[in-house]
Amino acid sequence: MTTDDDQTSRAQAEGAARTAALARAAHRRRRRGRRPILVGIDGPAGGGKSTLADRVAAALGDAPIVRMDDLYPGWDGLAASVPLLVRWVLSPAEHGRIPRYRRYDWYRGGYAEWRAVRRHRYLIVEGAGSTCGIARGYFAVRVFVDASPDERMRRALRRDGDIFRPHWDRWARQEVALFGPDRTRRAAHVVVMTGSTGPCT
């Protein structure tokens, strides 16, 4: 394993531990009810959100994860996914109902089947835009995961290959347009920097 891999793994472990601790603290403060504690893991493509979400889910007793990749309405749908997330997932969870959302089929270019989210004391939402705008106030814990642009692009293309390559710049422009005015990173409770860029803060 390389030094960068070691740093990434260490940052992910520290970020997951800190996020899980905040979620447990929020659960202890919560009034009785069926509402889950919502944890949002946000940040640009290739930052390491999915890996961190998996770690946090394991630390929180196999908490369910909703992936924003299943909600985006296509390659130009980053901003449009936020109200969908609120309507399908966050608002029902806030009111003690079972969230249900339609999975976007990237090959067919349209929404497919409905999926229900199993009940648990925690619910994790992972993906760019998950804690932005009207979604922000629903989350007890907000995390922003990032890395250097070169590292993020390398990871994303290694993971998704030719599917993502022609859309990288197009998606990155949407991230800049959303995260900048929204001040998403500044609003996070935990910031996790992966790769050689530094530890979590």
Side-chain angles (χ1 to χ4, degrees), residues 16-31 36-39 56 59-60 121-122 139-141 189-190:
R18 194 162 169 215
T19 301
L22 289 173
R24 293 189 194 100
H27 184 265
R28 289 193 295 271
R29 294 192 302 268
R30 188 188 67 173
R31 298 175 183 174
I37 297 299
L38 295 170
V39 178
V56 173
L60 294 176
R121 66 178 62 180
Y122 303 101
F139 291 99
V141 185
H189 301 106
V190 179

Side-chain angles (χ1 to χ4, degrees), residues 40 131 136 141-145 183-191 201:
T131 66
R136 177 170 299 155
V141 185
R142 296 183 298 272
V143 185
F144 194 85
V145 188
R183 298 186 175 184
T184 315
R185 176 171 175 159
R186 182 177 295 185
H189 301 106
V190 179
V191 176
T201 59

Side-chain angles (χ1 to χ4, degrees), residues 14 16 18 32 36 63 65 69-70 104 108 112 114 121 152 157 167 174 185 190-191 198 200:
E14 292 172 2
R18 194 162 169 215
R32 291 190 178 187
I65 303 172
D69 282 351
D70 287 336
Y104 189 82
R108 290 176 48 202
W114 285 90
R121 66 178 62 180
R152 291 193 295 99
L157 296 182
H167 305 288
Q174 294 177 74
R185 176 171 175 159
V190 179
V191 176
C200 61

Side-chain angles (χ1 to χ4, degrees), residues 91-161:
S91 181
E94 178 73 13
H95 291 90
R97 302 193 301 271
I98 295 176
R100 293 178 173 84
Y101 62 91
R102 288 194 73 183
R103 181 188 64 84
Y104 189 82
D105 187 323
W106 291 87
Y107 294 97
R108 290 176 48 202
Y111 282 103
E113 78 280 1
W114 285 90
R115 291 182 174 181
V117 182
R118 59 185 169 83
R119 287 197 183 275
H120 194 281
R121 66 178 62 180
Y122 303 101
L123 172 57
I124 299 165
V125 181
E126 172 272 315
S130 58
T131 66
C132 290
I134 59 174
R136 177 170 299 155
Y138 287 90
F139 291 99
V141 185
R142 296 183 298 272
V143 185
F144 194 85
V145 188
D146 204 353
S148 69
D150 288 345
E151 176 67 10
R152 291 193 295 99
M153 183 175 180
R154 183 184 67 80
R155 290 177 188 164
L157 296 182
R158 181 179 63 189
R159 180 190 64 203
D160 298 323

